[in-house]
Amino acid sequence: MPIVDIHTHVYPPSFMDLLRSRTAVPYIRTFPPDTSSRLIILPGEDAPSNPSTSRGRPIGPDYYDISKKIEFMDKHHIDISVISLANPWLDFLPSNEAGPIAERVNNEVNELCNQYPGRLFAFGALPLSASREVIVEEIVRLSEMKYVKGVIMGTSGLGHGLDDLGLDPIYEALQEHRLTIFLHPHYGLPKDVFGPRVSDYGHVLPLALGFPLETTIAVTRMLLSGVWDRFKTLNVLLAHSGGALPFLAGRIESCINHDSHLLNARKSGGQRSIWDILKNNIYLDAVIYSHIGLKSAVDASGSDRVMFGTDHPFFPPLDTHGDSWPSVQMNYRAIQDAFDGNPKAAEDVLGDNAVRILKLSF
Amino acid sequence: MPIVDIHTHVYPPSFMDLLRSRTAVPYIRTFPPDTSSRLIILPGEDAPSNPSTSRGRPIGPDYYDISKKIEFMDKHHIDISVISLANPWLDFLPSNEAGPIAERVNNEVNELCNQYPGRLFAFGALPLSASREVIVEEIVRLSEMKYVKGVIMGTSGLGHGLDDLGLDPIYEALQEHRLTIFLHPHYGLPKDVFGPRVSDYGHVLPLALGFPLETTIAVTRMLLSGVWDRFKTLNVLLAHSGGALPFLAGRIESCINHDSHLLNARKSGGQRSIWDILKNNIYLDAVIYSHIGLKSAVDASGSDRVMFGTDHPFFPPLDTHGDSWPSVQMNYRAIQDAFDGNPKAAEDVLGDNAVRILKLSF
């Protein structure tokens, strides 16, 4: 049985150069006298009012040296990784630069996979600030690349969120070329919602809550705008086990069913429920750090639709001498605890689902 | 076995008069030529830019006539209700009015319970805009009232959220007098996070997501600020099964454990984990509309800490001729499905827990 990590990020070398050349978020710099580099990617992460997190996080070879990815995989018994560009992807690029940079970065990522055939596959990145024609051309190009099995995407879309009708040509092309969207948060929630003490708590509120809540809102907006009524076979893999979607799906359905306008539209248009979409269009990763959330994800989508992931190179051990990463151990243990007495389902989640769903052969 | 509804709201007559006398949110008015009253309570709900929800919701006797509550209980086989003032409670009152109005409203609610002895108990409301002395006095007064078993509270606290150290005297008084806090959302999330199409979707995004996400953020801020390290026996009942807390608890713990500053503080201060608090200080209602979320709530806190609720009079049937409310049916069915083969646990959640935890005898 192979173990497959479908949630694992990389900044390929040319993207590192790009981040190093910039002075606004996202960027990389050193703060002398410290000689190590810091990665600053989150909105507001370098605001002077936020001293405790104003220097982002340390960035080392784990982020860009693919041999480090393989080392990490070996250490954690991972056979195959489906790598993806880390956030904020290409969202921030000026329109005219996005197309060529996407091409270069995607080629580079595909080439990284080619260095370790059979061990690496990839989600491509889209030049979402470019024209729709350029985006669709890149989708077609990605669909022909040997190791690319989908695209990673944030929640901003073309700038107005994923319920924007302007995305329809993109969704159509992705559906047509059978590329799964790996939907990943980045923008979080406005800092104010976390209150005046937010910086006392480091990154916990934006990362532990802002990220999954952003995903939950984005996917609910997709549902409400009828994305899956128009694109019935569009597949979306949700980061962090869907944010909080499996837990909140019942409340979402109840709220729709108690709104006469929406309910009538649903009845007359045959619109699909979130439960239907969870079972037929949504995949969930297993990056949830607890068997409790994982069981809920499996109950919502099925053990044939949930896939192991690590979020490497984020959440590295605080103790750098450790052998195995606690963040990875937690997610392994969650699978073990969730499927106690059902080793087949555990194997599905650990790797078999990813091989089947993403067609990991070449 | 009694069936107990611990999440059920009322606006007693004097509070109705107050809402009718106001012209800013929260308020009640009629929009001619329509002769029926509308309740406008949510922030921004009357903004001209939000036409689809600018008229709140219809408000009828279900909201204020206690005989309608009893009728609803009888129809749904509910033996006991623990009634609470509906949002936004007393949060909006000028400081000098809050104390006397709290006294009047709490007396009125207690008197409503007295009209149906054994069938009604209550959570009181706090005059949070008043001075701390006035708030603590009201807590002491509430603790001596025959039918009051706790207090309902929003996430704003004294205006800075529930991680505000200024709340410590309030938490201390509530702990000392063994009054459970029923923590309930109201303020949601800023409208912008739902995107430009939010009003296309009626109330769904603010109610299905804004409310539970608000609760999740509030309780996580309480955890991070050490409320339960200072008040080890302070009990909090979370609305809507904790928002998304049971699902996200693993990620919250992982984020804390990957922040050296917080981890060191935890190690040196013996701070408690969210899992510990979920099992020892938090209770969850079962207002979640699905067995999937409910199982997760039960896994997180235990079947001895989850309690049935209806959210009456909110989410009434769209079809007014219906006998039983679909929103209530969904929550009954969730309990049935979650505890298939374990009738004892189902009975605990349906009523026995509430009787034991809230000491529903007089």
Side-chain angles (χ1 to χ4, degrees), chain A residues 69-88:
Chain A
K69 180 76 73 189
I70 300 291
E71 215 174 87
F72 168 85
M73 290 164 63
D74 291 342
K75 186 185 278 182
H76 295 92
H77 318 291
I78 295 164
D79 300 290
I80 301 172
S81 285
V82 186
I83 59 177
S84 50
L85 187 64
N87 49 314

Side-chain angles (χ1 to χ4, degrees), chain A residues 204-219:
Chain A
V204 173
L205 290 170
L207 286 186
L209 302 186
F211 263 35
L213 305 189
E214 175 193 356
T215 306
T216 310
I217 292 169
V219 66

Side-chain angles (χ1 to χ4, degrees), chain A residues 160 163-165 189-190 192-198 200-205 207-209 211-213 216-217 220-221 224-225 240-263 275 287-297 299-300 311 315-318 326-327 330, chain B residues 160 163-165 189-190 192-198 200-205 207-209 211-213 216-217 220-221 224-225 240-263 275 287-297 299-300 311 315-318 326-327 330:
Chain A
H160 306 288
D163 54 353
D164 176 4
L165 290 174
L189 293 177
D192 280 357
V193 307
F194 299 124
R197 299 189 59 188
V198 57
D200 294 352
Y201 316 134
H203 283 108
V204 173
L205 290 170
L207 286 186
L209 302 186
F211 263 35
L213 305 189
T216 310
I217 292 169
T220 308
R221 286 169 59 183
L224 291 168
S225 70
H240 315 119
S241 299
L245 185 68
F247 191 80
L248 293 175
R251 187 167 171 91
I252 293 167
E253 279 302 299
S254 174
C255 281
I256 293 171
N257 286 320
H258 283 84
D259 182 302
S260 58
H261 176 73
L262 297 179
L263 189 65
W275 295 120
V287 181
I288 179 102
Y289 310 97
S290 158
H291 67 283
I292 292 179
L294 185 60
K295 281 202 278 186
S296 190
D299 282 350
D311 219 347
F315 303 106
L318 292 177
S327 58
M330 282 177 88
Chain B
H160 306 288
D163 54 354
D164 176 3
L165 291 174
L189 293 177
D192 280 356
V193 308
F194 299 124
R197 299 188 59 187
V198 58
D200 295 353
Y201 315 134
H203 282 107
V204 174
L205 290 170
L207 286 186
L209 302 186
F211 263 35
L213 305 188
T216 311
I217 292 168
T220 307
R221 286 169 61 183
L224 290 168
S225 69
H240 315 120
S241 301
L245 185 69
F247 192 78
L248 293 175
R251 187 168 172 91
I252 293 167
E253 279 301 299
S254 176
C255 283
I256 293 172
N257 287 319
H258 283 85
D259 182 302
S260 57
H261 176 73
L262 297 179
L263 189 63
W275 295 120
V287 181
I288 178 101
Y289 311 97
S290 159
H291 67 284
I292 293 179
L294 185 60
K295 281 202 276 186
S296 190
D299 282 350
D311 219 348
F315 303 106
L318 292 177
S327 57
M330 283 177 87

Side-chain angles (χ1 to χ4, degrees), chain B residues 21-268:
Chain B
S21 74
R22 290 173 52 87
T23 54
V25 174
Y27 65 99
I28 291 171
R29 61 169 285 200
T30 54
F31 295 88
D34 204 346
T35 54
S36 61
S37 297
R38 311 278 301 181
L39 169 69
I40 291 133
I41 46 171
L42 294 180
E45 205 172 35
D46 66 344
S49 63
N50 196 1
S52 83
T53 55
S54 69
R55 294 182 166 195
R57 56 199 64 63
I59 181 164
D62 270 342
Y63 284 77
Y64 51 81
D65 179 345
I66 200 69
S67 73
K68 288 282 178 182
K69 180 76 74 190
I70 300 291
E71 215 174 90
F72 168 85
M73 289 165 63
D74 290 343
K75 188 186 280 181
H76 294 92
H77 317 291
I78 295 164
D79 300 289
I80 301 172
S81 285
V82 186
I83 58 177
S84 50
L85 187 62
N87 50 313
W89 316 288
L90 312 172
D91 287 10
F92 58 93
L93 293 173
S95 181
N96 62 322
E97 295 178 18
I101 292 182
E103 206 174 314
R104 192 175 69 207
V105 167
N106 287 326
N107 287 348
E108 223 174 333
V109 166
N110 193 57
E111 184 45 40
L112 291 177
C113 298
N114 200 38
Q115 291 177 30
Y116 296 92
R119 296 213 65 188
L120 297 179
F121 293 89
F123 292 107
L126 295 182
L128 290 169
S129 55
S131 69
R132 259 154 267 189
E133 292 67 30
V134 170
I135 307 171
V136 170
E137 274 168 33
E138 189 62 15
I139 292 173
V140 176
R141 226 179 57 81
L142 284 168
S143 72
E144 293 161 353
M145 290 173 79
K146 192 165 174 185
Y147 299 100
V148 172
K149 300 297 174 177
V151 298
I152 188 164
M153 216 161 115
T155 64
S156 169
L158 306 174
H160 306 288
L162 302 184
D163 54 354
D164 176 3
L165 291 174
L167 279 165
D168 274 8
I170 320 294
Y171 290 141
E172 190 172 10
L174 290 167
Q175 175 176 268
E176 185 191 336
H177 294 284
R178 295 185 190 170
L179 290 170
T180 296
I181 298 174
F182 178 19
L183 176 56
H184 193 291
H186 168 71
Y187 298 95
L189 293 177
K191 202 180 144 206
D192 280 356
V193 308
F194 299 124
R197 299 188 59 187
V198 58
S199 33
D200 295 353
Y201 315 134
H203 282 107
V204 174
L205 290 170
L207 286 186
L209 302 186
F211 263 35
L213 305 188
E214 175 193 355
T215 306
T216 311
I217 292 168
V219 66
T220 307
R221 286 169 61 183
M222 289 177 76
L223 168 82
L224 290 168
S225 69
V227 167
W228 286 288
D229 300 313
R230 298 195 297 287
F231 305 102
K232 292 194 198 307
T233 59
L234 181 71
N235 291 324
V236 180
L237 163 62
L238 300 178
H240 315 120
S241 301
L245 185 69
F247 192 78
L248 293 175
R251 187 168 172 91
I252 293 167
E253 279 301 299
S254 176
C255 283
I256 293 172
N257 287 319
H258 283 85
D259 182 302
S260 57
H261 176 73
L262 297 179
L263 189 63
N264 289 338
R266 201 177 242 201
K267 279 179 180 163
S268 64

Side-chain angles (χ1 to χ4, degrees), chain A residues 25-27 39-47 53 56-57 87-88 185-188 203 206-207 211 214 314:
Chain A
V25 175
Y27 65 99
L39 169 69
I40 291 135
I41 46 172
L42 295 180
E45 204 172 36
D46 67 344
T53 55
R57 56 200 62 65
N87 49 314
H186 168 70
Y187 299 94
H203 283 108
L207 286 186
F211 263 35
E214 175 193 356
F314 295 94

